[in-house]
Amino acid sequence: MNEIERETQFILKKYNIKANKSLGQNFLISEEVVNKIVESSNITKKDLVIEIGPGLGTLTKELLDSANKVICVELDKRMVEILKDRFKLYSNFELLNQDILKTDLKNIIEKEKQSKEIENVKIVANLPYYITTPIIMKLLEEKLDLESITVMIQKEVADRLTAIPGEKNTGAITYSVYYYAEAKEIMEVPSYSFIPEPEVTSEVIQLKVRKELKVKTQNEKMMFKIIKNSFTQRRKTLLNALTNTKIFKEKNTGIEILKKLNISENARAEELTLEQFAQIADEIS
Ligand code: SAM
C-alpha cells in the first residue's frame, strides 16, 4: 500500500464515510497518476488552478504547493468538511460548496485575473464521470479565459474528445472540442488506481484552449446545429440527414450547396472536416 492509499483509507475511516457512487466518487490512490497530472499541467506560481471535485484532497495537496492559488468546487458537504479541516493552514486555498454546472466561472476568473500575481488559469480535475461531457462543454462554450484543461475521464469519452475530425472515432463532440481546443492524451489509467474501482478504464487528457478559434463562421450556432443533426443520423448520408431535419429546406437546395462546396452527395458526417461544416453553415445563413 502506498502513502496516498494509506492516507485515503485513513481519512475515510476517520470521518466514517463511504464513497457516494451517484456523485461519481472514485478516489485516486496512484502516486504515479497524481504526479503525472500535476506535472503535465505545468503549474507555476503565476497560475490560478480551478479544481473540480477535489473529493478528499489528494490532488489538491499537490496543486497547492505548485500554484499561486487553488479554487476548489465540490458539491458534497461531507468532502467540504474534510477539505476545510485538511487545508486550513493554506492561505492560497479557497473552497466553494457548489455544483460546478451552476458555478459562475466567468465571474470568478475575471475577478482573480485582476490580481497582478495571476497570469494563467488552468483547470485540473479527476472528474465525476456522470457529468463529464456537460462539464467539458461548459468550460469550452463559455469561452472562459483558460490556458488548459487537464482532466481524468472515461477512456471511451477520451477517445472521442481527442479524435481528429475527418478521421476515426469521431462524434459530434469531437468537432466541438476541436473548434475550441487542441486535445491530447496524457496517460491511460487502469481502474485499480482508484477506490472504489470504477467499472471503466480511465484516461487523463489535456485540452490546450485555442487563443483563436479553429475555423471562422458567421453562424457558430448553426454550425453546431448542423454537426449535431448530421451525427444523430450518422448512418445516413449528410444530404439525407440534413434534409430530414429540415436544415436543408429541400433536398435540391442541399444538393446545390454540397456541389458548390465540392462535397460529395454521398458523404457521411464523419467524412467532413470542421471547415466544411463551417462552410455549410455559412451557405445556409
Ligand atoms: N479529486 C478527487 C480524487 O481524485 O480522488 C475526487 C474525484 S471524484 C472522481 C469526483 C468528485 O467530484 C467527488 O468528490 C464528487 O463529490 C465531486 N462532484 C460530483 N458532482 C459534482 C458537481 N456537480 N459539482 C462539483 N463537484 C462534484
Side-chain angles (χ1 to χ4, degrees):
M1 207 189 270
N2 69 43
E3 201 180 319
I4 296 187
E5 185 172 1
R6 223 174 294 129
E7 210 166 19
T8 305
Q9 299 283 17
F10 174 80
I11 297 174
L12 289 172
K13 217 174 188 173
K14 180 177 168 194
Y15 292 89
N16 191 22
I17 49 172
K18 287 205 168 68
N20 181 341
K21 254 193 166 178
S22 63
L23 282 180
Q25 289 177 352
N26 300 98
F27 304 112
L28 247 179
I29 50 163
S30 158
E31 267 165 19
E32 187 200 347
V33 178
V34 170
N35 290 341
K36 188 79 184 174
I37 293 176
V38 176
E39 178 202 306
S40 59
S41 307
N42 243 325
I43 298 161
T44 75
K45 283 288 167 197
K46 295 189 165 167
D47 292 335
L48 162 69
V49 174
I50 301 179
E51 190 192 359
I52 302 165
L56 305 172
T58 308
L59 266 171
T60 322
K61 190 172 157 217
E62 305 305 320
L63 298 171
L64 282 166
D65 287 335
S66 355
N68 182 288
K69 182 169 179 180
V70 180
I71 299 182
C72 292
V73 184
E74 172 59 60
L75 185 60
D76 188 346
K77 278 202 171 62
R78 304 172 309 160
M79 301 295 142
V80 168
E81 290 319 307
I82 296 169
L83 293 160
K84 272 190 195 157
D85 219 12
R86 189 168 180 187
F87 301 119
K88 60 181 172 237
L89 296 179
Y90 285 80
S91 58
N92 60 341
F93 171 68
E94 197 178 313
L95 181 57
L96 305 173
N97 184 195
Q98 285 178 18
D99 178 347
I100 185 64
L101 295 176
K102 296 185 185 144
T103 302
D104 185 352
L105 288 172
K106 194 152 217 150
N107 192 26
I108 295 174
I109 292 171
E110 265 169 24
K111 263 197 203 145
E112 293 294 332
K113 272 217 136 178
Q114 282 167 10
S115 148
K116 283 206 179 74
E117 285 174 20
I118 288 174
E119 280 183 7
N120 292 313
V121 184
K122 295 172 180 167
I123 303 275
V124 180
N126 169 18
L127 288 180
Y129 292 174
Y130 73 105
I131 41 170
T132 302
T133 308
I135 294 177
I136 291 183
M137 289 324 296
K138 173 189 166 81
L139 298 174
L140 296 173
E141 283 172 349
E142 288 185 2
K143 297 189 174 150
L144 305 170
D145 186 1
L146 295 174
E147 173 85 5
S148 62
I149 301 168
T150 308
V151 282
M152 171 95 70
I153 58 176
Q154 311 89 301
K155 179 167 169 29
E156 206 189 342
V157 181
D159 288 344
R160 277 254 194 274
L161 300 191
T162 56
I164 306 284
E167 294 181 10
K168 270 194 201 155
N169 260 334
T170 56
I173 196 163
T174 309
Y175 289 77
S176 305
V177 170
Y178 190 73
Y179 180 61
Y180 296 109
E182 204 179 316
K184 71 171 179 194
E185 293 164 290
I186 303 285
M187 78 183 295
E188 206 174 293
V189 181
S191 50
Y192 58 74
S193 310
F194 307 83
I195 45 171
E197 292 188 14
E199 275 146 26
V200 292
T201 302
S202 302
E203 188 163 298
V204 179
I205 63 161
Q206 185 166 71
L207 309 179
K208 284 248 189 262
V209 179
R210 298 186 194 280
K211 303 280 174 231
E212 245 182 76
L213 297 169
K214 185 64 184 167
V215 298
K216 289 205 166 58
T217 166
Q218 296 148 26
N219 196 339
E220 196 174 87
K221 222 171 149 191
M222 175 58 86
M223 180 179 79
F224 285 123
K225 190 174 166 194
I226 294 173
I227 293 174
K228 195 173 146 231
N229 281 289
S230 314
F231 275 91
T232 312
Q233 303 190 24
R234 62 186 300 158
R235 294 226 176 85
K236 297 208 161 72
T237 61
L238 183 82
L239 178 62
N240 285 337
L242 296 184
T243 308
N244 291 345
T245 51
K246 307 263 183 276
I247 287 179
F248 291 147
K249 280 197 188 102
E250 284 169 33
K251 195 163 183 172
N252 275 342
T253 332
I255 293 175
E256 267 173 42
I257 292 178
L258 294 185
K259 200 170 173 191
K260 184 172 173 197
L261 299 175
N262 237 341
I263 299 170
S264 158
E265 263 182 46
N266 301 318
R268 283 166 215 280
E270 69 248 28
E271 292 167 41
L272 264 68
T273 62
L274 181 63
E275 285 78 2
Q276 287 173 317
F277 278 114
Q279 287 167 352
I280 298 175
D282 288 347
E283 282 301 321
I284 288 174
S285 304

